[in-house]
Amino acid sequence: MTRNVLNQFECKIGKAGEILCNTDDTGNVLLFVSSGKLVIYNQNQTPVADVDEGHFVLLPAEKSFIAIAITSTRLILMHAGPLSEMITDDPEWNPDRPVILPICPSLAKTLYIIEYYQNELTKHSFYQLVIFLMQTETYLVIVAILPIHYRNIVY
């Protein structure tokens, strides 16, 4: 099965104390921290994890999580859609305790390119960065730069 998602990635920059993500608003998300540090709080406002620069975390929508910057932080938020059984059937999976993992070098380079183009395009309001995620057996990211009037395309 192949699915296309328009603007599945969001580049965010936050100051210390700023809320960068709330799963009540976003659904399932992957947070890739490219600089800084953030803390993940559960619905009881209890800290459950710290995510440092160079790491990422999957936050499931079934639990209410809030990510708050501890320091000035840059991150890429990826809207993950529904979680596969491969994740949820894993005996190590615990939606109450998000697992923090390091970002591998090849993925780090791809994330850097996404951030670079997003930052460059914000200087030119008539273009928009569009990222399609094609899901088959592996992930392939295709980046396109479109004139702004293509913004409301539905896939």
Side-chain angles (χ1 to χ4, degrees):
M1 178 176 135
T2 302
R3 67 185 167 98
N4 298 329
V5 180
L6 186 62
N7 290 339
Q8 188 165 0
F9 292 84
E10 293 179 44
C11 299
K12 293 192 169 199
I13 298 174
K15 298 175 186 166
E18 187 175 342
I19 295 174
L20 297 174
C21 175
N22 182 339
T23 57
D24 290 338
D25 301 330
T26 61
N28 297 320
V29 293
L30 284 159
L31 298 179
F32 299 92
V33 179
S34 54
S35 71
K37 183 175 185 173
L38 55 89
V39 64
I40 309 296
Y41 290 94
N42 65 14
Q43 60 195 8
N44 300 324
Q45 299 298 322
T46 305
V48 293
D50 290 343
V51 186
D52 293 316
E53 178 176 329
H55 291 79
F56 73 98
V57 62
L58 170 64
L59 299 179
E62 66 189 74
K63 301 292 180 178
S64 182
F65 289 107
I66 296 174
I68 298 178
I70 294 175
T71 64
S72 180
T73 304
R74 284 188 3 239
L75 65 85
I76 294 180
L77 182 147
M78 177 184 157
H79 297 275
L83 299 179
S84 73
E85 289 178 6
M86 182 178 80
I87 293 172
T88 58
D89 289 346
D90 186 325
E92 298 292 319
W93 172 248
N94 181 354
D96 294 317
R97 302 289 308 168
V99 176
I100 313 304
L101 297 170
I103 299 171
C104 66
S106 59
L107 179 58
K109 185 173 183 176
T110 302
L111 295 172
Y112 171 79
I113 292 169
I114 290 169
E115 279 187 311
Y116 173 79
Y117 281 109
Q118 184 70 43
N119 290 335
E120 284 299 308
L121 290 176
T122 57
K123 298 175 187 173
H124 308 285
S125 61
F126 52 89
Y127 285 103
Q128 174 183 9
L129 177 68
V130 177
I131 302 170
F132 299 93
L133 182 68
M134 306 295 289
Q135 182 181 2
T136 56
E137 291 179 21
T138 60
Y139 286 99
L140 171 66
V141 176
I142 302 168
V143 178
I145 300 171
L146 299 174
I148 202 72
H149 65 273
Y150 288 109
R151 177 179 293 192
N152 297 321
I153 297 174
V154 178
Y155 289 84

